């Protein structure tokens, strides 16, 4: 458990070496899924003030978004605009983008009245930054 927490912190710090490790290590798919589930649950809890629909819908939307964005990034990066050094596969993209969702854990702070939308916005921007770093690493973009 300590290893996954350490990796989540490194992902939140936008540590490119973490994304390199995760891209190469095929055994981290379960960990990446766990990170996505934790971030999805945090997002759902952050929307709890919207009721049970916010809780369940937010968690499911975050999980489904991971698959969709990872697939889109894989397709665009390997088919539409591949770099000459790009040599990756969809599982590697899923692993790194799973870890890129780590900053989403702060979305749980959306429970704080009046700050919910701001926290969600900050969490989204932070996850986007992590996603960009992760994709840049896994696709070997210069």
């Amino acid at each position: 458990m300590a290893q996954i927490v350490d990796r989540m912190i490194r992902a939140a710090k936008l540590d490119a070496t973490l994304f390199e490790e995760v891209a190469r290590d095929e055994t981290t798919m379960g960990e990446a899924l766990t990170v996505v589930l934790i971030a999805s649950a945090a997002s759902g809890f952050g929307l709890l003030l919207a009721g049970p629909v916010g809780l369940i819908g937010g968690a499911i939307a975050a999980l489904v978004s991971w698959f969709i964005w990872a697939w889109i990034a894989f397709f665009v990066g390997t088919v539409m605009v591949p770099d000459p050094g790009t040599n990756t596969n969809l599982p590697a993209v899923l692993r790194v983008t799973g870890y890129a969702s780590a900053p989403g854990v702060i979305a749980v702070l959306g429970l704080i009245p009046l700050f919910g939308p701001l926290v969600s916005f900050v969490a989204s921007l932070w996850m986007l930054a992590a996603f960009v770093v992760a994709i840049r690493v896994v696709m070997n973009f210069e």
Side-chain angles (χ1 to χ4, degrees), residues 67-121:
F67 285 108
I68 292 170
W69 283 111
W71 187 87
I72 289 170
F74 174 74
F75 180 77
V76 169
T78 60
V79 175
M80 296 181 72
V81 290
D83 193 88
T86 299
N87 182 20
T88 192
N89 55 42
L90 184 57
V93 174
L94 283 167
R95 290 191 301 272
V96 298
T97 57
Y99 268 97
S101 67
V105 172
I106 69 164
V108 75
L109 298 176
L111 285 169
I112 300 170
L114 303 175
F115 290 107
L118 177 62
V119 169
S120 293
F121 180 71

Side-chain angles (χ1 to χ4, degrees), residues 2-142:
Q3 181 178 10
I4 194 169
V5 171
D6 176 62
R7 285 182 171 171
M8 288 176 70
I9 291 168
R10 289 174 59 204
K13 290 179 177 180
L14 309 180
D15 181 354
T17 60
L18 166 82
F19 296 114
E20 290 171 5
E21 287 172 26
V22 172
R24 285 191 306 265
D25 188 351
E26 295 178 8
T27 65
T28 59
M29 183 63 84
E31 284 183 10
L33 177 59
T34 300
V35 173
V36 171
L37 291 174
I38 292 168
S40 297
S43 176
F45 279 112
L47 294 170
L48 188 60
L49 296 177
V53 172
L55 172 66
I56 296 167
I60 291 172
L63 186 60
V64 170
S65 296
W66 171 51
F67 285 108
I68 292 170
W69 283 111
W71 187 87
I72 289 170
F74 174 74
F75 180 77
V76 169
T78 60
V79 175
M80 296 181 72
V81 290
D83 193 88
T86 299
N87 182 20
T88 192
N89 55 42
L90 184 57
V93 174
L94 283 167
R95 290 191 301 272
V96 298
T97 57
Y99 268 97
S101 67
V105 172
I106 69 164
V108 75
L109 298 176
L111 285 169
I112 300 170
L114 303 175
F115 290 107
L118 177 62
V119 169
S120 293
F121 180 71
V122 169
S124 296
L125 287 180
W126 197 354
M127 288 190 315
L128 177 62
F131 188 88
V132 168
V133 172
I135 291 301
R136 189 166 180 227
V137 167
V138 77
M139 297 287 177
N140 230 3
F141 289 155
E142 291 300 319

